[in-house]
């Protein structure tokens, strides 16, 4: 009898273990599918600890490309207010052709999209321009309000093609697309162009993806640009304010592609040099946040980034109309 009781206890314990395993294993598998940053480095997320602290240095050929200039020529002392940057962009006949073709294809002249990594996401990048109580334009740039009004709704919209950790490779892979918004075969960029139908796209890439060689980054960027141009969407390429890759190869490639494809280039790298350490607070890529109150000077990286991005959007929009 005692042996039977022990056997029943063993059997009951075994059943409990098996039942628990059947519940636990699927949960573990689901979690592994949802997030495993290192299983595919070509499309994965790199945590901040993987970045090397690098002092600001001018990327190759960036200094020679003068597509953006500052009213203040030299870096300022910490705490000083920066003058409003003057952003000069070239809007070519080719750029106007891409834009006008897109309007004929049904793209929305009142919509733009953000495409990129953590430098392009909400709530930091451009979002406040959709709320008149959250920003103040510089007195000499009140004409920017017309551009803010035209693209109302796009500033605070969360793009499915802009996400922390995205690289140029991620934007092409359906694995990183939002399953609630995108089809099974759509990558994030393909999905964003379909659901938003933007006429313009601000492209900011390179802060994530330091494992990519210059050649592979360029290949991915070409595929992204070709996809946008085929749909009549005009990309505004942006250089980045950091140099996490160490040799400036990503900015150099972005400058090269903007020239080759005859696309507008928002050269944020050059603009950011006017702030101490390019406005970067952690020696890697993170910038100090401050609200977009621009009529009292600019002191932080995010203030400078948001205002110069709006200026770039304004120049391009007026140039393609």
């Amino acid at each position: 009898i005692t042996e039977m009781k022990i056997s029943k206890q063993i059997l009951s314990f075994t059943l409990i273990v098996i039942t628990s395993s059947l519940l636990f294993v699927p949960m573990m598998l689901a979690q592994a599918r949802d997030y495993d940053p290192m299983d595919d480095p070509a499309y994965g997320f790199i945590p901040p600890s993987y970045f090397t602290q690098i002092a600001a240095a001018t990327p190759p050929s960036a200094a020679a490309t003068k597509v953006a200039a500052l009213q203040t020529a030299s870096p300022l002392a910490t705490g000083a207010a920066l003058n409003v940057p003057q952003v000069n962009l070239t809007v070519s006949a080719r750029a106007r052709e891409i834009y006008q073709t897109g309007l004929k294809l049904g793209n929305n002249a009142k919509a733009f999209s953000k495409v990129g990594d953590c430098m392009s996401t909400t709530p930091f990048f451009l979002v406040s321009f959709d709320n008149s109580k959250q920003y103040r334009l510089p007195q000499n740039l009140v004409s920017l309000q017309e551009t803010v009004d035209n693209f109302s709704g796009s500033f605070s919209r969360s793009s499915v093609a802009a996400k922390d950790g995205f690289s140029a490779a991620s934007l092409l892979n359906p694995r990183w697309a939002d399953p609630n918004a995108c089809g099974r075969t759509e990558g994030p960029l393909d999905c964003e162009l379909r659901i938003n139908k933007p006429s313009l796209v601000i492209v900011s890439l390179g802060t994530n993806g330091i494992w990519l060689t210059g050649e592979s980054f360029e290949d991915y960027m070409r595929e992204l640009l070709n996809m946008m141009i085929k749909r009549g969407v005009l990309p505004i390429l942006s250089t980045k304010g950091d140099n996490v890759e160490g040799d400036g190869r990503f900015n150099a490639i972005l400058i090269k592609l903007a020239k080759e494809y005859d696309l507008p280039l928002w050269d944020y790298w050059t603009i950011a040099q006017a702030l101490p350490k390019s406005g970067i607070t952690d020696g890697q890529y993170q910038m100090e946040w401050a609200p977009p109150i621009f009529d009292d000077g600019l002191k932080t990286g995010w203030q400078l980034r948001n205002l110069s991005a709006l200026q770039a959007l304004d120049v391009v929009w007026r140039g393609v109309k």
Side-chain angles (χ1 to χ4, degrees):
I1 294 174
T2 303
E3 291 179 355
M4 290 180 63
K5 288 182 178 180
I6 294 174
S7 298
K8 288 182 178 180
Q9 291 175 350
I10 295 173
L11 179 61
S12 298
F13 179 78
T14 303
L15 290 174
I16 291 172
V17 171
I18 293 173
T19 303
S20 300
S21 299
L22 291 174
L23 294 173
F24 181 74
V25 170
M27 290 173 62
M28 290 296 292
L29 290 174
Q31 186 178 22
R33 284 195 299 270
D34 290 342
Y35 180 71
D36 189 355
M38 300 308 294
D39 66 347
D40 185 354
Y43 300 102
F45 294 84
I46 297 298
S49 60
Y50 277 76
F51 288 111
T52 303
Q53 184 167 335
I54 301 166
T58 303
S61 77
T65 305
K66 299 299 181 183
V67 295
L70 285 176
Q71 292 176 351
T72 303
S74 58
L76 303 178
T78 302
L82 180 68
N83 290 336
V84 173
Q86 180 181 350
V87 179
N88 299 312
L89 293 157
T90 299
V91 181
S92 66
R94 173 58 176 155
R96 288 190 289 273
E97 179 186 355
I98 294 168
Y99 176 86
Q100 294 297 334
T101 298
L103 297 186
K104 294 176 183 178
L105 293 174
N107 291 341
N108 187 354
K110 293 182 176 294
F112 76 88
S113 285
K114 308 169 195 176
V115 171
D117 46 39
C118 59
M119 295 293 106
S120 303
T121 57
T122 55
F124 301 109
F125 188 52
L126 295 175
V127 173
S128 298
F129 292 120
D130 266 339
N131 187 334
S132 60
K133 297 180 180 180
Q134 293 183 354
Y135 70 92
R136 288 204 304 266
L137 295 173
Q139 294 179 357
N140 63 330
L141 289 179
V142 292
S143 61
L144 292 174
Q145 187 61 46
E146 185 179 354
T147 300
V148 172
D149 293 340
N150 181 77
F151 291 104
S152 176
S154 288
F155 297 100
S156 58
R157 179 180 172 276
S158 293
S159 168
V160 297
K163 188 174 181 180
D164 290 354
F166 268 6
S167 69
S170 309
L171 287 162
L172 296 165
N173 194 329
R175 175 181 178 181
W176 300 113
D178 182 349
N180 297 317
C182 307
R184 294 182 63 184
T185 61
E186 285 184 318
L189 177 62
D190 195 19
C191 179
E192 174 67 13
L193 299 182
R194 175 180 61 81
I195 62 180
N196 196 37
K197 295 189 180 300
S199 54
L200 303 174
V201 166
I202 299 176
V203 183
S204 301
L205 286 164
T207 293
N208 194 67
I210 59 173
W211 62 88
L212 294 174
T213 64
E215 182 179 358
S216 58
F217 179 75
E218 182 173 335
D219 288 344
Y220 287 127
M221 284 302 306
R222 287 183 183 279
E223 191 167 349
L224 294 171
L225 294 177
N226 290 337
M227 180 184 297
M228 287 183 274
I229 292 170
K230 183 178 180 180
R231 297 192 181 194
V233 180
L234 177 61
I236 303 172
L237 286 178
S238 168
T239 54
K240 57 195 182 72
D242 64 72
N243 184 21
V244 293
E245 69 275 24
D247 59 2
R249 62 184 181 274
F250 294 154
N251 275 352
I253 289 168
L254 291 167
I255 292 169
K256 169 188 173 182
L257 292 176
K259 183 176 181 180
E260 179 182 331
Y261 280 78
D262 219 0
L263 300 174
L265 176 72
W266 165 39
D267 189 6
Y268 180 67
W269 168 273
T270 298
I271 293 172
Q273 301 311 302
L275 283 175
K277 299 180 181 179
S278 304
I280 295 171
T281 58
D282 67 344
Q284 299 170 354
Y285 60 91
Q286 293 182 0
M287 299 182 296
E288 181 182 356
W289 167 256
I293 307 301
F294 304 120
D295 56 359
D296 190 30
L298 292 82
K299 294 185 179 181
T300 73
W302 273 112
Q303 285 182 315
L304 186 60
R305 179 168 175 78
N306 280 323
L307 181 58
S308 61
L310 179 61
Q311 289 174 276
L313 182 66
D314 175 78
V315 172
V316 174
W317 176 57
R318 294 179 188 279
V320 295
K321 288 194 299 179

